[in-house]
Amino acid sequence: MSVQQAWKVDRWVDAVVAAGDGNVVAATSNLTGSIWDGRVFGLTSNGTVEAEILVECGMADLCAIGEGQFLAACDDGMVRVIHSGGAMIISGGHNGVVNAVSVSGTTGATAGSDRGIQFYDLEKHSAEPARFEGHCDSVNSVDWNGANVLLSASSDGTVCVWDARNRPICKSSVAIHVGSVAH
C-alpha cells in the first residue's frame, strides 16, 4: 500500500474526517504556553488548504454531521459544531475532556472522561443533552450500530451496548481484560 495524498500542517493533527470529493477536514492543536490552540483545516484533494477555522480548544475527535458541518469533541468539555462561519458551542457539556463523537441522523453522541455519554439533538442546539452513565472510568469511544443502538468503550475494560430509545439503560455490557498478558 502506498500514500496517495498527504498534507503538511505545522501542528499536531488530532482527528481527521473525509469531506467528499477527495477532500479532508483535520482537527489540529498546538500548545502555546499553557493554552491549547485548536484549528480546523479544510484540505483539498489538490493539496491546498481551503479553510482554516480557529477553535479555542484542542479537539480529540471530529465527525461529519452534514454538508460542510462537523461535530467536534473538545478538551474543554464542550461539544462544538464546526462550519465555514466558525465554531458554535452546543448547550451542555461534559465535566472533563470529550474524547469522542459519533452521529446517527440528527443525534450526536459523545464520550467523556467524566464517565458519561451524552446525546445531543443536532436540530435543537439549545436543548440540554440526555446523559447516560454506566461506565466506572473514562469513556473513550462511541459508535452507532444502526439508528438506535450505540456502542461505548471505556478505560474500565467494558464495552456497553445502549438502546437510545430506552434512556439511560445499558442493554448489555462485556468486560474485557485490561492490562498486559504474559506469554
Side-chain angles (χ1 to χ4, degrees), residues 5-46:
Q5 176 74 43
W7 295 268
K8 176 68 177 153
V9 292
D10 293 328
R11 307 169 64 77
W12 290 30
V13 179
D14 302 309
V16 65
V17 64
D21 297 327
N23 299 325
V24 171
V25 173
T28 70
S29 60
N30 189 32
L31 183 60
T32 306
S34 61
I35 299 174
W36 282 104
D37 167 24
R39 295 181 191 270
V40 174
F41 290 94
L43 307 170
T44 66
S45 59
N46 66 9

Side-chain angles (χ1 to χ4, degrees), residues 145-156:
N145 184 14
N148 297 309
V149 176
L150 184 78
L151 308 173
S152 62
S154 171
S155 295
D156 65 9

Side-chain angles (χ1 to χ4, degrees), residues 4 6-7 11-12 45 49 74 89 92 139 144 150 172 176 181:
Q4 295 181 1
W7 295 268
R11 307 169 64 77
W12 290 30
S45 59
V49 175
C74 300
I89 294 175
V139 182
W144 290 96
L150 184 78
S172 62
I176 299 171
V181 177

